[in-house]
Amino acid sequence: MPLDCTSCPVRERAACAALTAAERSELACLGKGRTYRRGEVVFSAGAPLDACATLTSGLLKISQTAQDGSERILSLVHPAGFVGEMFAPVAHHDVIALTESHLCLFPRRSYEAAIERFPALATALLRRSAQDLFDARAQIALDGRRSANAKLATLLLALARAASHSPCHPATAFELPLTRGEMAALLGLTIETVSRQLGALEEEAIIEREGARGIRLLNAAQLAALAQ
Amino acid sequence: MPLDCTSCPVRERAACAALTAAERSELACLGKGRTYRRGEVVFSAGAPLDACATLTSGLLKISQTAQDGSERILSLVHPAGFVGEMFAPVAHHDVIALTESHLCLFPRRSYEAAIERFPALATALLRRSAQDLFDARAQIALDGRRSANAKLATLLLALARAASHSPCHPATAFELPLTRGEMAALLGLTIETVSRQLGALEEEAIIEREGARGIRLLNAAQLAALAQ
DNA sequence: CGTATGGTTGAGGTAATTCAACCTGTGTGG
DNA sequence: CCACACAGGTTGAATTACCTCAACCATACG
């Protein structure tokens, strides 16, 4: 099944958006679409990395598992995000679907060749990489010396923003795409602390929970204040 | 003073190493060298960012200051590192010299033009950005759920490696380029905790301190074990 | 119906923070 | 040249936010 860029939900924002129509259709011929279900592994740490991909819909996690089996989530990947390491023969981290996700997969060799051929693609990837770096540093800033409360508030706001279709305003109600354990692994907390802090936020009437995953923001301003 | 790449200590490793001799000397004409003393500000958060630079010697920190005045160090920049944000009109973070440092500064416009002109430069920057991203994620992995002990061990090993001229083996004795406060800001700890943990490492005969900043590794293997 | 996964809640422990005092070396000005 | 201030560093005592351990509940699934 060949890629159909005209109906791609991220055709305006993904790296390939920097290409001309002709270039893009040439690139489209190299790739193939694939859908992953929640929990499916896109790339596995230590495995040879012969592909790279653009996420067109869904949500991925980039994570690392320590020797003792504990997982640390290093990053979430939202639609239009790019995954795959261009300069490493072997994957450093696991990439796993958190929700049903659709990716455009490209053979690594072909993509490298495309970068050589289309300088605009290199620039677009550089821009994306710079954004990823900025996000990673925001996470570092969050990790250090911040209370569990602030971490969770920041995460909820980020997820609310991602769930919203309008780019600026956060969604007022959404489903958490992460388990408590995944939230904990992302924030560097324990499951119990995440659960208790969510309870506390509900206690303070800042959020409302519907079932295990449903979140409604009752007071987004106060949540933002907690996140600083 | 024009740049003299032939004597540049990072001519093999910096982004410009990807260029041909002719391209490189063309780029060299655009830049100028400058030395910064400890504490001098290279880029200031919030200020217009009209330059980018390659670090040829010394050490920089990329940091962020919260409203309450507390500093978080997001990254250290070692020689051959690249600083400056290509796609942001305004600097997001402070960049400050930790030791006497020498940089090759390029006007941003000229550098952007050079990227357009020399595709190899774009690829080299992409590679560097990917490395920075990997390092940032290593920091994230370090931040979450790790003991103060492990964080400090990891930092000491990284600094020992940076202080060594041979790339693989860490230096056995070196001067810390960071104050206790900066170590704390980098690791997400307090000054007191850093001080106590250093004391503990000396107590266990894993390191030896000479003055406030001198470190000698007595048992690098055990230090590596603590860092995991 | 039994098991597994995900989630909540409670009690107790602890590592790191906070607050505070004190030390040392360095630079400055009377 | 001494007095003083100041920045960086160490050490101690008390506090606390988070972790650990453990029990329990809900839902889904074979």
Side-chain angles (χ1 to χ4, degrees), chain B residues 38-155:
Chain B
R38 158 151 186 107
E40 271 195 276
V41 174
V42 179
F43 300 133
S44 183
L49 195 52
D50 54 0
C52 58
T54 290
L55 179 66
T56 57
S57 71
L59 186 68
L60 311 177
K61 65 177 175 184
I62 298 177
S63 68
Q64 205 175 31
T65 304
Q67 295 89 317
D68 65 359
S70 65
E71 178 192 36
R72 175 86 227 239
I73 298 182
L74 303 173
S75 173
L76 299 181
V77 181
H78 295 280
F82 181 86
V83 288
E85 297 163 75
M86 241 44 208
F87 305 105
V90 157
H92 286 106
H93 306 125
D94 294 314
V95 178
I96 298 174
L98 285 173
T99 65
E100 180 152 314
S101 298
H102 190 263
L103 284 89
C104 289
L105 288 158
F106 300 94
R108 184 185 160 145
R109 291 278 170 181
S110 326
Y111 208 82
E112 281 170 353
I115 290 175
E116 301 288 322
R117 208 130 36 90
F118 311 134
L121 189 57
T123 312
L125 281 181
L126 193 54
R127 173 176 258 116
R128 202 137 265 300
S129 181
Q131 181 64 46
D132 288 348
L133 184 57
F134 183 74
D135 292 344
R137 286 179 174 163
Q139 177 73 39
I140 292 173
L142 183 65
D143 276 345
R145 320 227 323 84
R146 306 291 306 278
S147 66
N149 213 321
K151 288 182 184 181
L152 204 47
T154 307
L155 176 60

Side-chain angles (χ1 to χ4, degrees), chain A residues 147-148 188-190 192-193 196:
Chain A
S147 67
L189 301 170
T190 59
E192 295 94 324
T193 299
R196 276 188 258 264

Side-chain angles (χ1 to χ4, degrees), chain B residues 147-148 189-190 192-193 196:
Chain B
S147 66
L189 301 170
T190 59
E192 295 94 324
T193 300
R196 276 187 258 264

Side-chain angles (χ1 to χ4, degrees), chain A residues 133-151:
Chain A
L133 184 57
F134 183 74
D135 292 343
R137 287 180 174 162
Q139 177 74 39
I140 292 173
L142 183 65
D143 276 345
R145 319 227 323 87
R146 305 292 304 278
S147 67
N149 213 319
K151 289 182 183 181

Side-chain angles (χ1 to χ4, degrees), chain B residues 173-216:
Chain B
F174 62 98
E175 290 286 306
L176 291 170
L178 305 164
T179 66
R180 298 290 183 270
E182 284 163 340
M183 288 193 259
L186 182 55
L187 299 176
L189 301 170
T190 59
I191 293 177
E192 295 94 324
T193 300
V194 170
S195 181
R196 276 187 258 264
Q197 294 295 337
L198 279 176
L201 286 174
E202 190 169 37
E203 199 68 24
E204 301 172 64
I206 294 173
I207 65 169
E208 193 175 40
R209 286 183 289 180
E210 279 177 51
R213 300 289 189 88
I215 295 287
R216 178 181 303 279

